[in-house]
Amino acid sequence: MSKPVILCVDDERIMLDSLRTQLAAEFGDAYSYEGAEDAEEALELISELNDDEVSVVMIISDWLMPGMKGDELLIRIHEKFPHIVKIMLTGQVDQSAIARAQQQANLHKCLSKPWFEAELRETIKSALSHKL
């Protein structure tokens, strides 16, 4: 049986690597940690994992990315996979985008970049505890 997946989406490779390193350090082998560098790649990966019957339990997405922004991505994911917990990261605060993601994608939380590891860890633990 495949481990559940936490998917990280950010157009900056260093941010993806940092997220996955922090997640692996905190949650170890309990999850698989996947990364996508843009929204289209994320949508393809979620679809492939779903086809392979691998459960994506959480997506942590940047907001400001080329092409599709994070709130749009999370809304599209929510339409097909409402059970996935959604967290958004942003260095550019756009309150209307956050509100839209909360209303239309059931956004669990939006964290500012750079994030504090403890805040990210507690946000993820809180979100996952509500799923169990």
Side-chain angles (χ1 to χ4, degrees), residues 13 18 32 37 45 55 60 64-65 71 77 81 85 90-91 96 109 132:
R13 170 63 57 187
S18 178
S32 290
E37 293 188 35
L45 185 54
S55 176
I60 303 170
L64 187 57
M65 298 182 288
D71 60 319
I77 290 170
F81 307 101
V85 175
T90 185
S96 63
K109 190 162 187 178
L132 302 176

Side-chain angles (χ1 to χ4, degrees), residues 14-82:
I14 194 165
M15 293 294 179
L16 279 179
D17 293 343
S18 178
L19 275 170
R20 289 194 296 206
T21 298
Q22 289 175 30
L23 292 170
E26 180 63 29
F27 302 103
D29 291 339
Y31 302 95
S32 290
Y33 310 101
E34 297 287 340
E37 293 188 35
D38 61 41
E40 291 303 324
E41 184 182 350
L43 291 168
E44 288 174 23
L45 185 54
I46 289 173
S47 185
E48 289 171 15
L49 291 167
N50 187 61
D51 290 347
D52 293 340
E53 298 183 4
V54 175
S55 176
V56 177
V57 294
M58 178 176 291
I59 181 167
I60 303 170
S61 177
D62 185 23
W63 174 67
L64 187 57
M65 298 182 288
M68 187 185 309
K69 289 191 171 52
D71 60 319
E72 298 168 50
L73 170 63
L74 297 179
I75 290 166
R76 285 189 52 186
I77 290 170
H78 186 71
E79 289 169 353
K80 289 180 91 171
F81 307 101

